[in-house]
Structure formats: C-alpha cells, structure tokens
Amino acid sequence: MLTMEDIVREGHPVLREVANEVPLPPSEEDQKTLENMLQFIKNSQDDQIAEEYNLRPGVGLAAPQINVSKRMLAVHFVDFDDKQYSYGLINPKIVSHSVEKTYLTSGEGCLSVDRDVPGYVPRYARITVKGTDLDGNEVKLRLRGFAAIVFQHEIDHLNGIMFYDHINKDNPFKEPENATPADE
Ligand code: SB7
Ligand code: NI
C-alpha cells in the first residue's frame, strides 16, 4: 500500500521531468502501479484509513509523484455538480480545450508541496481528454469546471509542471484573462 512516504516532494528532479509514454497494452507492473495509485487516493479520503496512516487527502495523483516517470494518473472525486469521477488513466492527452479559462478562488495545493502557495491558477474551463483506462479501454472525457482543473493539474505533473508555475508572480490574485471562477 502506498503512504505519504512514497510521495516525492518538490525539489525532487522527477517532478520536473517529462514522463515517458506507457507501452500498450500496459504491463502487469504498470497496471498494478496505477491500481495502487487509485487505491491511495481512495484511502486518503477515508477518514479512518487516512488517520491511521497519516494520509493527506487528495483528489488525484500522478505517477511522477511516486517517483515513477510514466504517463499515468489516478483521480477520485465528486465534482460540484455531484458527478463522481474515478479513473486510472494511461497516456492521457488533452486533445482540445476552450479559450475560456477558469480557476479555484481558494487556489490549489499538491501532495508534493508541503506549504501553502496562495494565488489563482488559471486553467482551461473545458477540456477533452483521451487516454486508456485500467481495463485497457480507450476513453474520451469531456470535462468542465473542477473536473477539468483536476485533470489539468495531474497532466501538468506528467510534463514536469507544478501548479504554482501558473500563478502570476507580481499579483497572485490577479483575475486571469477570460476566466470565471469554478467554485462561485
Ligand atoms: C487542487 C488540488 C489538486 C488538483 C486541483 C486542485 C490535486 C491535489 C493532489 N495532487 O497533488 C495531485 O497531483
Ligand atoms: Ni499535485
């Protein structure tokens, strides 16, 4: 089982690498890694398990965060419209996105960042993501709002990008151009 000790923190070079494509169909090892990542995220949201193992709650995890430089991500969350998203995705790719942007008024955090980094993180308001799921099926997801934000945060990790790279350095709370908040 994965715990916080498996999570690499900022400063670790793997978080700045462009992760490698995963050969398809996935090896049993890659599949197992992704299943473990999804289980970690679920565990982190279970009060009892999280307390017992000292897990910080998270809505998603990208493989580089466990020092695996491969294009895999896991997400598990309920969006503001009560829709449940639970996926392990291999080689996820944003195939199209809106011009319009969005952001969370409370900013973002990261399991690999042990400090608060305040500021708006501009994200595309709508994205279409293609990838391969845990069963080896091709999936195409149309995402908006919080779901779109979470997937962009995770896909950024596969490209060596941290959420705070997107924050305006002079004015962290400057309203991003062409944006409406996702959580208002
Ligand atoms: C706020 C938090 C996350 C995504 C978008 C907004 C994910 C936090 C957990 N992670 O560090 C996953 O990479
Ligand atoms: Ni993160």
Side-chain angles (χ1 to χ4, degrees):
M1 147 179 188
L2 292 171
T3 68
M4 293 307 292
E5 283 168 35
D6 299 295
I7 307 288
V8 300
R9 309 303 158 91
E10 56 179 337
H12 194 297
V14 74
L15 292 174
R16 289 308 193 175
E17 286 171 19
V18 175
N20 296 292
E21 289 275 324
V22 176
L24 296 174
S27 67
E28 261 176 56
E29 192 194 343
D30 288 342
Q31 229 165 331
K32 194 82 217 131
T33 300
L34 189 49
E35 278 166 21
N36 286 337
M37 287 166 55
L38 186 55
Q39 192 58 53
F40 169 85
I41 288 300
K42 291 178 182 174
N43 289 345
S44 83
Q45 294 174 26
D46 180 310
D47 291 339
Q48 220 154 352
I49 301 176
E51 179 171 294
E52 183 170 352
Y53 295 98
N54 258 300
L55 307 180
R56 218 181 112 187
V59 290
L61 186 69
Q65 293 183 276
I66 55 165
N67 200 13
V68 172
S69 194
K70 295 184 180 181
R71 305 190 77 82
M72 301 196 292
L73 64 81
V75 294
H76 184 80
F77 59 91
V78 175
D79 203 345
F80 300 135
D81 57 10
D82 284 346
K83 197 168 178 279
Q84 159 102 282
Y85 292 83
S86 191
Y87 288 100
L89 269 195
I90 298 168
N91 300 333
K93 188 173 165 26
I94 296 174
V95 293
S96 67
H97 63 75
S98 60
V99 172
E100 192 191 325
K101 303 238 173 132
T102 190
Y103 60 96
L104 294 171
T105 57
S106 50
E108 296 185 16
C110 182
L111 292 170
S112 298
V113 179
D114 292 324
R115 61 193 173 107
D116 207 46
V117 187
Y120 296 152
V121 181
R123 302 289 191 186
Y124 298 121
R126 295 173 299 281
I127 57 173
T128 301
V129 174
K130 276 189 186 174
T132 301
D133 71 12
L134 269 168
D135 304 318
N137 299 314
E138 268 188 51
V139 293
K140 182 174 181 178
L141 305 171
R142 289 182 186 80
L143 307 164
R144 56 190 298 281
F146 183 67
I149 291 171
V150 174
F151 276 79
Q152 286 171 83
H153 177 117
E154 304 312 336
I155 291 170
D156 267 356
H157 277 306
L158 307 182
N159 294 319
I161 297 167
M162 303 293 284
F163 73 93
Y164 46 75
D165 298 343
H166 298 290
I167 298 176
N168 185 305
K169 296 209 172 38
D170 306 318
N171 184 359
F173 290 102
K174 189 179 144 99
E175 173 98 22
E177 293 282 310
N178 232 309
T180 47
D183 53 355
E184 262 178 13

